[in-house]
C-alpha cells in the first residue's frame, strides 16, 4: 500500500503571500490531520478532516484553513504568510475503523515551507 | 507550563544499552498515549499506542503509562544504531492531540 504523500516537498514564499499544500492519504483512510512542526514549538495540531468535514481544530489563527475532497485528499491553505509560519507541515491519515484523531496515524514526509 | 513536557536531550548511548525516554503531562483528561519515532527528513512513525495505565511490550520496545503520576515512558532494550532518531511522545483526549518536544537519541556503535 502506498503511504501518505505530500506535495510539494519544499516551498519558498514571501511574507504576505498565500500557499496551498496538498496531502493524499493512504488508500481507504478517511481521516486526515494536519500538523505544524518547528524546532521551538515542536509538533502542533492544526486540524482534522473526516469525510469532508472539519471535525477538530487546534489553536491556530484563521489564516490557516483546510478542506477535504470526496476522495479524502486534503489541502491546507495559509494566507498572508508571516515569517513565523516557516515550518515543516505534516499530514497524517487514519484508518476508517478508528475514525477519531486519537487513532493510529500515519504521517507523510511533510512539506518544508520557508517564508522570507 | 506546557501540557506535555519531554526532555529534548540530546541523549547518546552505546549500542546494546537500555534507553529510557520519558514524558510528563498536566491534563488528566488525556486517555490515549503514543510514541512516535522520527528520522531526519521523514515524518513521524507510530511505534507504540496505549490506552490505559500499565505496560505494553512490542519486541525491544516497552511503553509504560502511569496515569496517577501523569508520567509515560518508552524503554528500548538492546539499542541499535538504527534506533538513532527523535522520539516524540503524544497524548490525546476527545480528538485533541498534543505532542512532546521530542528527544533526540543517538546510539553509537
Amino acid at each position: 500500500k502506498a503511504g501518505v504523500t505530500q506535495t510539494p516537498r519544499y516551498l519558498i514564499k514571501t511574507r504576505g503571500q498565500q500557499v496551498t499544500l496538498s496531502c493524499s492519504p493512504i488508500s481507504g483512510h478517511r481521516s486526515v490531520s494536519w500538523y505544524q512542526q518547528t524546532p521551538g514549538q515542536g509538533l502542533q495540531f492544526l486540524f482534522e478532516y473526516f469525510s469532508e468535514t472539519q471535525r477538530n481544530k487546534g489553536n491556530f489563527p484563521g489564516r490557516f484553513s483546510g478542506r477535504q475532497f470526496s476522495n479524502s485528499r486534503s489541502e491546507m491553505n495559509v494566507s498572508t504568510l508571516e515569517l513565523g509560519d516557516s515550518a515543516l507541515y505534516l499530514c497524517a491519515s487514519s484508518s476508517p475503523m478508528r475514525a477519531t484523531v486519537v487513532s493510529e496515524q500515519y504521517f507523510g514526509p511533510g512539506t518544508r515551507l520557508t517564508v522570507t | 507550563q506546557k501540557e506535555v513536557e519531554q526532555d529534548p536531550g540530546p541523549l547518546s548511548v552505546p549500542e546494546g544499552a537500555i534507553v529510557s525516554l520519558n514524558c510528563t503531562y498536566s491534563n488528566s483528561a488525556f486517555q490515549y498515549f503514543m510514541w512516535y519515532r522520527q528520522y531526519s527528513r521523514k515524518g513521524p512513525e507510530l511505534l507504540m499506542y496505549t490506552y490505559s495505565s500499565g505496560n505494553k511490550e512490542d519486541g525491544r520496545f516497552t511503553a509504560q503509562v502511569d496515569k496517577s503520576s501523569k508520567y509515560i515512558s518508552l524503554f528500548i532494550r538492546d539499542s541499535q544504531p538504527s534506533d538513532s532518531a527523535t522520539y516524540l511522545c503524544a497524548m490525546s483526549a476527545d480528538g485533541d492531540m498534543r505532542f512532546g518536544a521530542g528527544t533526540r537519541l543517538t546510539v553509537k556503535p
Side-chain angles (χ1 to χ4, degrees), chain A residues 18-86:
Chain A
Q18 75 166 24
V19 67
T20 298
L21 312 180
S22 181
C23 171
S24 292
I26 291 171
S27 178
H29 285 193
R30 291 160 62 192
S31 171
V32 173
S33 298
W34 287 91
Y35 296 86
Q36 181 195 67
Q37 188 174 36
T38 59
Q41 298 296 319
L43 203 61
Q44 296 185 91
F45 173 68
L46 281 155
F47 30 66
E48 184 232 359
Y49 285 86
F50 180 78
S51 293
E52 302 179 64
T53 300
Q54 187 181 90
R55 193 165 56 173
N56 294 293
K57 189 176 188 304
N59 191 25
F60 275 80
R63 299 186 297 108
F64 293 82
S65 63
R67 59 177 175 169
Q68 187 179 33
F69 302 95
S70 57
N71 62 358
S72 294
R73 190 178 70 83
S74 177
E75 287 183 347
M76 191 192 95
N77 185 276
V78 187
S79 62
T80 320
L81 284 165
E82 300 177 0
L83 296 178
D85 297 333
S86 294

Side-chain angles (χ1 to χ4, degrees), chain A residues 35 37 43 56 101-102 104 107-108, chain B residues 38 43-44 46 49 92 95 99:
Chain A
Y35 296 86
Q37 188 174 36
L43 203 61
N56 294 293
V101 76
V102 306
E104 298 147 59
F107 283 82
Chain B
Q38 186 173 21
L46 181 67
Y49 171 69
S92 62
F99 284 80

Side-chain angles (χ1 to χ4, degrees), chain A residues 1-6 23-29 91-93 106-110:
Chain A
K1 232 182 203 180
V4 177
T5 58
Q6 292 187 246
C23 171
S24 292
I26 291 171
S27 178
H29 285 193
C91 160
S93 75
Y106 298 86
F107 283 82

